[in-house]
Amino acid sequence: MTRIAISGACGRMGRVIARLCGEREDCKVAAGVDKLCEQYSDFPVYKSVFDMPEKPDVIIDFSHPSALEDLLSYCKINGVPAVFATTGYSDEERAKITSASAEIPVFFTFNMSLGINLLVELAKKATQILGSDFDIEIVEKHHNRKMDAPSGTAIMIAEAINEELGNTKHYVYDRHSVRKPRDKSEIGMHAIRGGTIVGEHDIIFAGHDEVITLSHSAQSREVFAAGAVNAAVFLSGKPAGLYAMNDLINAI
């Protein structure tokens, strides 16, 4: 039985994770951490991760990048594995997550959905075949309350594609002020915000007289929550290191 602490327990994703854990037999929520400190289930919720009287087996973070420093400090002091599912991390914050993995088990990915990670693999395969002969554009759509743009998932997709191309591309996020033809070294990134869109990502390969589009659409937040819980159960008991969705998929 994996005892999980949820950072961001009172948020929408935190509540979904709590519900999913309650429906499983291989894990349970031992505690929640949230500045709101609202008691809504049978586990205690604390304002700070350092307020927890007992250490959990794993922490799932679905809160905000501002919580990263305290979480990393707590996990390294107590030897607690961490699943980081929050988006909007800066390059510096991502470097801190990677550095922490030398001391503790860390699971980090921009998107916890199995389908999205399959989409990334398909995009890499398409890039290998199509090479630089096709222009590549990434379009992501999310709800109107999402604060970061482009999405972490769009960045993950772009980085995977760029790696296949020897990191020869640069990202263009806005074209309205650019009065020139599209450069072949570009990967276009476009963000749409509206309504209650959970998450949609399109990868467009545009060539001469043909267009190939790879798409993924999430119908509910549950797909991300389920992936985070699976990652937490997978991570429990693992040695220090940086783990991602491929590690979880290969372990299934």
Side-chain angles (χ1 to χ4, degrees):
M1 176 71 71
T2 303
R3 299 171 64 255
I4 297 172
I6 306 172
S7 173
C10 296
R12 288 174 294 177
M13 289 303 301
R15 291 172 186 264
V16 176
I17 289 172
R19 176 175 60 80
L20 292 180
C21 287
E23 297 171 355
R24 296 175 58 143
E25 297 182 354
D26 58 351
C27 63
K28 64 175 291 187
V29 179
V33 177
D34 201 294
K35 290 181 178 180
L36 295 178
C37 203
E38 177 186 343
Q39 189 75 39
Y40 64 88
S41 189
D42 59 352
F43 57 85
V45 180
Y46 303 98
K47 287 187 176 181
S48 168
V49 66
F50 293 102
D51 293 337
M52 291 191 297
E54 297 181 7
K55 73 175 186 178
D57 297 320
V58 185
I59 291 179
I60 296 176
D61 178 43
F62 250 120
S63 59
H64 187 271
S66 61
L68 181 64
E69 290 287 348
D70 280 354
L71 287 171
L72 287 178
S73 178
Y74 174 88
C75 290
K76 288 190 288 186
I77 290 171
N78 293 281
V80 175
V83 176
F84 290 104
T86 300
T87 61
Y89 288 122
S90 66
D91 289 341
E92 181 182 357
E93 289 165 335
R94 290 170 60 187
K96 289 180 179 180
I97 292 172
T98 300
S99 177
S101 69
E103 302 178 47
I104 57 172
V106 172
F107 193 104
F108 177 71
T109 180
F110 281 112
N111 194 299
M112 288 289 172
S113 160
L114 180 62
I116 275 289
N117 284 273
L118 173 59
L119 180 74
V120 172
E121 293 304 313
L122 293 174
K124 290 165 64 175
K125 183 64 176 177
T127 302
Q128 292 171 9
I129 296 172
L130 303 176
S132 297
D133 295 332
F134 282 63
D135 296 325
I136 303 170
E137 300 280 310
I138 300 170
V139 182
E140 56 96 345
K141 307 171 189 176
H142 285 86
H143 53 87
N144 55 25
R145 297 183 63 184
K146 186 172 178 62
M147 292 183 288
D148 57 310
S151 68
T153 302
I155 294 172
M156 177 178 73
I157 294 169
E159 289 182 347
I161 291 172
N162 201 14
E163 186 175 347
E164 291 296 325
L165 296 170
N167 292 313
T168 57
K169 303 290 186 178
H170 68 277
Y171 308 144
V172 175
Y173 303 100
D174 190 359
R175 298 191 189 280
H176 82 278
S177 61
V178 180
R179 305 283 298 178
K180 66 175 185 178
R182 186 188 193 282
D183 194 308
K184 291 291 292 183
S185 65
E186 297 177 7
I187 294 179
M189 306 268 276
H190 312 277
I192 295 172
R193 297 290 176 266
T196 58
I197 302 171
V198 175
E200 298 181 10
H201 292 83
D202 295 329
I203 310 167
I204 301 167
F205 294 87
H208 183 69
D209 292 340
E210 61 179 336
V211 176
I212 300 166
T213 303
L214 302 176
S215 300
H216 177 272
S217 177
Q219 302 301 312
S220 78
R221 292 180 177 83
E222 188 166 314
V223 297
F224 311 121
V229 175
N230 287 334
V233 173
F234 162 80
L235 199 63
S236 180
K238 290 288 189 296
L242 186 62
Y243 300 87
M245 189 57 71
N246 283 343
D247 300 299
L248 175 57
I249 293 171
N250 291 333
I252 295 176

